[in-house]
Amino acid sequence: MLQNYFRIAFRNILKHKFYSALNISGLALGLAACFLIGLYVFDELTYDRFHENHENIYSVALHGRIGGQELYTASSSPPLAQAMVQGIPGVEGATRLRHYGNVVMKFDDKSFTETQALFADSNFFNFFTFQLIEGDPKQALKEPNTLVLTTETARRYFGNEQAVGKIITVGNDNRAYKVTGIAAKAPSNSSVKYDVLLSASSDENMKSLYWTNNGLYTYIRKNPNTSIADVDNRLRELVKEHVGPEIEQGFGTSFEQFEKAGGIYSYYIFPAEDIHLYKSELMDSLTPRSDITYVYILAAVGIFILVIACINFMNLSTARSASRAKEVGLRKTLGSQRGKLVLQFLSESFIYTLAGTIIAIGAVYLLMPTFQMLSGKEMTFSAMFQPVMLAGVVGVFVLVSFMAGSYPAFYLTSFKPVDVLKGKMKSGMKSKGIRSVLVVLQFTISIMLIISTIIVYNQLTYLQEKNIGMDKQNVMILRNTERLDKNRESFKRAIETQSGIVASSYTNNVFPGINNTTVFRVAGTEQDRILGTYYADYDQAKTMKFEMLQGEFFTKGRIADSSVCVINEAAVKEFGWDGDVLKRKIMNYNGDKPFAMQVIGVVKDFNFESFKMKVRPLIIQFTPESNNIAVRYEGSAKEAIEKVKTEWKKIAPNDPFQYAFLDENFDELFREEQRLGQVFSVLTGIAIFVACLGLLGLASFTAEQRTKEIGIRKVMGASVSSVSSLLSKEFMILVGIAFVLASAFAWYAMDKWLSSFAYRIPLTASAFVISGVLAAAIAWLTVSYHFIKAARSNPSESLRYE
């Protein structure tokens, strides 16, 4: 019986090649998009879940509040890990990591700037499930001045030679480190990524005993029977015990008084696997994070596209119901049961979906490199064959087979044999209302995606072009200038003599972001406040093109030392000052002893962090030299790079010349949104194309069914354009209804998305009007070919009876 059903299904597919091609191609495109999005979602949701007992690994974060300024940070203090293991029942182990920053490493005549170098405790490979290919997991990071390289990093330094046992010099002091292990690269879905791991015993920062010196990342392994609340409660006791004395020493107030005044200093734990998607409030992390909202959005788009593909199948199947009705009537007359007829039609759907699935899997293989580039993911086609993904593919196949075939099967088999054989079935018109609803649903989804794509593009363009209070264009950033040693000032003078170099400035900070947040107090008050701060030389304002509102910036030879500072407008508001604020005093608590700084200038607020945040209070302190230099140039970037590189090589010929551009650094802030916009554009194109395939099939069928009507109208004098417009009108009305519905849904969704930005575009009618016109034009072009062809046909052919 089943064999017979499949044979009939194949015959029907071959008999109606045009409709079959539309169905299969629509399903294949929809399934390919769904599978690609599924791979993306799977990768995002499985971050950090490859570790053994991953459900028991937790990160430690800090929640602080001083003077109304609140912060959440993933960093913690050096002594915390050991204190938690020793003092909290249920904490079975802990390990710590600290990002080294950009560090220069050398072997013989080779030197590289490593951006993924981490200091790690000796139990790193026993705590996490990272593969150590060579070396002893317990000993590799135990001794001072030892390090582990990834296979790729080792190949850069040593080629095909044995790496273990070799000596590499690290950092500005060219400290010798011994290679004690070779590790595999961290998986792409890991929030801990590294190229070099250095022993924690080599780092003085990780030996610090200060509890308020937060700058590393602590992970613990918790007993599954111990509750998070119990650990957090004990953490509060540890904070009171250890942090309390440091607060009293630094601020002159007890921990109880600090809390009564509204202050908060509290560590808490959360599942380590949550940091990638669910901890947007944290200011920092080892690697860039994403947002679960974007995962939901892409998953929804994938489902929408699949629904559109299924709707195509249902529409075309019900549209051809008249031609299949006689077959159903005859079969029922000859004794076929409805259940078996349903099975027959579902068999057809199964074959269509099987063909579409096979083509879709091939498309995923071919499109994988392009999708990797669009999404920024390091995914491979082999991920399709992981158990979860295979189960998903099978599940989608079964679901689509049933979804696409269920309505035609149950609809067609509901016909009464008597009515069918008497010719009372009028070209499937009973299903016309259902088909109209499905077309509206298709185009509602498509227009929503068009509107969303336009708004996302406009928002990202706005952020890129927005005046952020400083000029981020034509600024080159050089790191590791400490390699120049005592020649930093001479290097600065040398590059500024080059044509095209406008200005340069040493700083310990690279925008966007601020590398230090500390406590300040207005002199003579007891109110502590948290402000961002960084150090720069006297040419920072000229290089970054800051706008001064009051006073002046640091001036060489006159106003430039540690006793003065420059603040931004937000800091003025934070301190509650009005009018002239020059010569006011601020107490700096970033050190063993607080000292006073005099305000000599106020700079206009500029965005130095994420565009999702309002500008924070900022204090700029003076330094004559630092480990980064910003270089403003005019003209060709290539020429500027060559000129600066030439001067660098004169002073530090054996050190790597590393540079970046400030505008590109800021673009990285919304790289996730940019990728979302790119993926959205592609998926929107797929959704529209799939919807148009269905519309094309319906237009062909409609023109075919109304052939005699068209002939009569032409005999009565109707023009080609009037007949074509009449036939198109029905579809354009449906698109109009879809536009109204899509506009309402898209307005709500996009307004909610835009609200996550501190700086956003307003929602205007233009994006909606453009989307509506575009959808209408696409729909008209799709259906017009068949309708114009039908309208231009010879009436004698359409009215001939035999």
Side-chain angles (χ1 to χ4, degrees):
M1 184 68 73
L2 285 175
Q3 184 179 0
N4 181 54
Y5 289 160
F6 284 123
R7 187 183 296 117
I8 295 171
F10 275 116
R11 287 175 182 172
N12 280 318
I13 290 172
L14 294 174
K15 182 179 179 182
H16 304 283
K17 294 182 179 65
F18 176 71
Y19 296 106
S20 298
L22 290 180
N23 267 330
I24 292 173
S25 57
L27 284 172
L29 266 176
L31 287 167
C34 185
F35 292 157
L36 286 170
I37 292 173
L39 287 171
Y40 179 95
V41 170
F42 177 74
D43 186 79
E44 288 285 285
L45 295 179
T46 55
Y47 253 74
D48 296 314
R49 299 196 178 193
F50 57 87
H51 295 297
E52 292 181 10
N53 298 317
H54 63 85
E55 64 278 4
N56 295 320
I57 297 176
Y58 288 76
S59 290
V60 183
L62 171 67
H63 175 205
R65 184 171 67 207
I66 298 178
Q69 288 288 327
E70 200 155 7
L71 65 86
Y72 291 87
T73 174
S75 63
S76 55
S77 60
L80 178 63
Q82 185 177 2
M84 290 184 69
V85 173
Q86 294 177 347
I88 302 180
V91 176
E92 300 175 339
T95 196
R96 303 170 303 163
L97 299 171
R98 189 178 80 83
H99 194 268
Y100 199 159
N102 296 280
V103 57
V104 175
M105 297 174 54
K106 295 181 180 179
F107 175 75
D108 289 343
D109 59 343
K110 297 179 180 179
S111 62
F112 301 94
T113 300
E114 301 294 349
T115 59
Q116 292 284 5
L118 304 176
F119 283 106
D121 278 329
S122 59
N123 65 340
F124 177 82
F125 288 104
N126 295 111
F127 189 92
F128 293 115
T129 311
F130 292 116
Q131 184 183 5
L132 186 65
I133 299 172
E134 295 182 45
D136 185 344
K138 296 181 179 180
Q139 301 295 324
L141 295 171
K142 187 174 182 179
E143 299 298 325
N145 301 333
T146 57
L147 59 79
V148 172
L149 305 175
T150 61
T151 51
E152 292 85 352
T153 308
R155 195 172 296 116
R156 278 193 281 121
Y157 286 91
F158 309 112
N160 295 323
E161 296 180 14
Q162 174 67 30
V164 175
K166 294 285 200 311
I167 301 297
I168 293 178
T169 57
V170 178
N172 300 325
D173 57 356
N174 292 319
R175 192 172 177 180
Y177 279 74
K178 182 180 180 180
V179 180
T180 53
I182 302 297
K185 184 180 179 181
S188 61
N189 58 346
S190 172
S191 61
V192 177
K193 290 185 170 65
Y194 52 83
D195 293 319
V196 182
L197 293 167
L198 304 100
S199 58
S201 56
S202 311
D203 182 30
E204 294 302 318
N205 289 291
M206 297 187 78
K207 298 176 184 177
S208 172
L209 300 177
Y210 287 102
W211 280 67
T212 51
N213 180 24
N214 296 288
L216 51 81
Y217 301 90
T218 300
Y219 298 84
I220 67 161
R221 180 176 286 110
K222 182 181 72 66
N223 187 300
N225 297 321
T226 302
S227 70
I228 294 176
D230 288 342
V231 176
D232 285 343
N233 288 335
R234 181 58 186 141
L235 264 176
R236 278 191 283 272
E237 295 176 13
L238 289 176
V239 167
K240 186 175 180 180
E241 179 183 348
H242 297 281
V243 176
E246 292 184 21
I247 287 181
E248 188 168 358
Q249 181 182 1
F251 302 147
T253 181
S254 68
F255 191 71
E256 289 77 10
Q257 291 173 325
F258 169 75
E259 289 188 319
K260 285 181 181 179
I264 295 176
Y265 196 102
S266 174
Y267 292 111
Y268 63 96
I269 66 170
F270 63 89
E273 60 196 33
D274 285 356
I275 193 168
H276 182 67
L277 293 176
Y278 301 97
K279 292 296 175 182
S280 58
E281 75 277 7
L282 296 178
M283 294 176 60
D284 60 344
S285 62
L286 279 170
T287 52
R289 301 191 304 275
S290 184
D291 193 317
I292 190 62
T293 303
Y294 296 145
V295 175
Y296 291 150
I297 290 172
L298 286 178
V301 171
I303 293 171
F304 287 159
I305 292 176
L306 201 58
V307 168
I308 289 174
C310 292
I311 288 173
N312 277 357
F313 187 95
M314 296 164 67
N315 262 340
L316 292 176
S317 297
T318 54
R320 291 170 39 239
S321 59
S323 60
R324 302 297 302 275
K326 289 182 180 179
E327 174 190 342
V328 172
L330 287 171
R331 286 181 176 275
K332 281 190 172 183
T333 302
L334 294 172
S336 292
Q337 298 176 357
R338 187 183 181 189
K340 292 181 179 180
L341 290 173
V342 169
L343 186 60
Q344 177 190 334
F345 284 106
L346 288 177
S347 299
E348 285 190 28
S349 174
F350 173 86
I351 293 174
Y352 276 111
T353 309
L354 180 62
T357 301
I358 294 171
I359 296 172
I361 292 174
V364 169
Y365 176 78
L366 295 174
L367 295 173
M368 183 59 73
T370 304
F371 189 73
Q372 285 178 332
M373 182 178 64
L374 282 174
S375 64
K377 289 283 184 185
E378 299 178 16
M379 298 180 296
T380 60
F381 180 70
S382 60
M384 282 287 294
F385 302 101
Q386 294 185 32
V388 175
M389 281 303 301
L390 277 177
V393 170
V394 172
V396 168
F397 168 73
V398 173
L399 181 64
V400 171
S401 296
F402 186 78
M403 279 180 58
S406 60
Y407 180 74
F410 290 107
Y411 172 73
L412 293 174
T413 58
S414 66
F415 297 159
K416 294 180 179 180
V418 176
D419 292 335
V420 173
L421 297 177
K422 284 183 177 180
K424 292 184 178 180
M425 300 304 300
K426 300 296 183 182
S427 304
M429 291 304 292
K430 286 186 177 181
S431 65
K432 183 178 178 181
I434 295 295
R435 291 204 306 276
S436 298
V437 170
L438 293 178
V439 169
V440 168
L441 179 58
Q442 276 187 316
F443 272 86
T444 297
I445 294 171
S446 301
I447 296 171
M448 277 181 60
L449 291 176
I450 296 174
I451 294 171
S452 300
T453 301
I454 292 174
I455 292 174
V456 168
Y457 173 80
N458 289 341
Q459 172 67 8
L460 296 181
T461 302
Y462 167 76
L463 293 178
Q464 288 175 308
E465 298 176 355
K466 181 182 181 295
N467 180 5
I468 63 172
M470 63 177 169
D471 188 355
K472 61 184 179 181
Q473 305 298 325
N474 295 350
V475 177
M476 182 180 7
I477 306 294
L478 274 63
R479 296 182 180 272
N480 293 317
T481 55
E482 68 270 20
R483 307 296 296 183
L484 302 173
D485 199 20
K486 297 178 181 179
N487 297 311
R488 278 184 276 195
E489 184 58 32
S490 60
F491 172 74
K492 186 176 188 293
R493 290 196 301 268
I495 62 175
E496 287 180 346
T497 61
Q498 300 292 323
S499 61
I501 304 300
V502 178
S504 63
S505 170
Y506 280 109
T507 174
N508 75 330
N509 187 73
V510 175
F511 298 121
I514 290 294
N515 59 10
N516 190 15
T517 298
T518 191
V519 177
F520 294 89
R521 181 186 295 175
V522 175
T525 70
E526 299 297 321
Q527 180 64 61
D528 298 313
R529 302 179 188 277
I530 300 177
L531 281 82
T533 183
Y534 77 98
Y535 290 82
D537 68 8
Y538 33 77
D539 287 328
Q540 176 82 170
K542 179 181 178 182
T543 304
M544 308 309 297
K545 293 190 176 181
F546 294 152
E547 182 180 341
M548 299 301 298
L549 299 179
Q550 291 186 38
E552 57 184 320
F553 208 76
F554 308 125
T555 304
K556 189 175 183 180
R558 189 162 66 88
I559 306 177
D561 58 40
S562 61
S563 66
V564 296
C565 67
V566 174
I567 62 177
N568 66 351
E569 292 176 274
V572 174
K573 295 175 183 176
E574 175 66 20
F575 291 130
W577 291 338
D578 293 318
D580 187 1
V581 303
L582 301 182
K583 296 185 179 181
R584 297 211 182 208
K585 300 279 182 140
I586 299 172
M587 300 300 295
N588 184 348
Y589 285 85
N590 188 18
D592 295 333
K593 293 183 180 180
F595 63 91
M597 298 183 298
Q598 178 179 304
V599 178
I600 61 168
V602 178
V603 65
K604 184 177 180 180
D605 278 346
F606 62 93
N607 285 97
F608 54 86
E609 291 178 306
S610 170
F611 293 104
K612 294 185 177 182
M613 301 168 57
K614 291 289 186 181
V615 177
R616 285 197 298 136
L618 177 68
I619 295 179
I620 306 173
Q621 298 175 258
F622 176 76
T623 183
E625 295 177 346
S626 195
N627 53 357
N628 306 294
I629 187 170
V631 181
R632 176 167 293 281
Y633 63 90
E634 57 186 18
S636 169
K638 185 177 180 181
E639 291 180 7
I641 291 169
E642 288 302 318
K643 290 174 181 178
V644 175
K645 184 178 181 180
T646 299
E647 297 301 326
W648 177 278
K649 289 302 180 182
K650 288 180 182 178
I651 300 174
N654 298 322
D655 291 308
F657 175 73
Q658 182 193 14
Y659 66 91
F661 292 101
L662 187 62
D663 58 342
E664 293 179 356
N665 288 351
F666 272 95
D667 286 347
E668 284 292 331
L669 286 177
F670 40 88
R671 185 68 66 200
E672 192 73 22
E673 285 78 11
Q674 288 177 322
R675 287 171 179 158
L676 178 70
Q678 291 172 341
V679 173
F680 241 80
S681 300
V682 173
L683 295 179
T684 299
I686 292 174
I688 293 170
F689 184 75
V690 172
C692 288
L693 286 179
L695 206 59
L696 183 67
L698 283 178
S700 173
F701 175 78
T702 300
E704 179 185 329
Q705 293 298 313
R706 299 178 70 174
T707 301
K708 286 185 171 56
E709 177 191 344
I710 294 169
I712 294 171
R713 287 183 180 276
K714 291 196 70 177
V715 169
M716 298 298 291
S719 64
V720 171
S721 59
S722 64
V723 172
S724 176
S725 298
L726 176 68
L727 296 174
S728 302
K729 181 180 177 182
E730 176 183 334
F731 289 93
M732 301 313 295
I733 291 173
L734 298 179
V735 173
I737 295 171
F739 169 71
V740 173
L741 294 174
S743 297
F745 291 127
W747 186 286
Y748 173 78
M750 286 294 98
D751 185 64
K752 193 169 183 178
W753 178 71
L754 288 171
S755 65
S756 66
F757 293 88
Y759 305 92
R760 52 164 285 183
I761 59 171
L763 278 175
T764 59
S766 58
F768 296 83
V769 172
I770 291 171
S771 301
V773 171
L774 184 61
I778 292 171
W780 186 84
L781 288 172
T782 301
V783 301
S784 61
Y785 168 75
H786 283 294
F787 289 159
I788 292 174
K789 181 182 177 182
R792 296 182 64 178
S793 63
N794 191 332
S796 63
E797 295 291 331
S798 58
L799 296 176
R800 183 184 301 163
Y801 181 74
E802 293 290 346

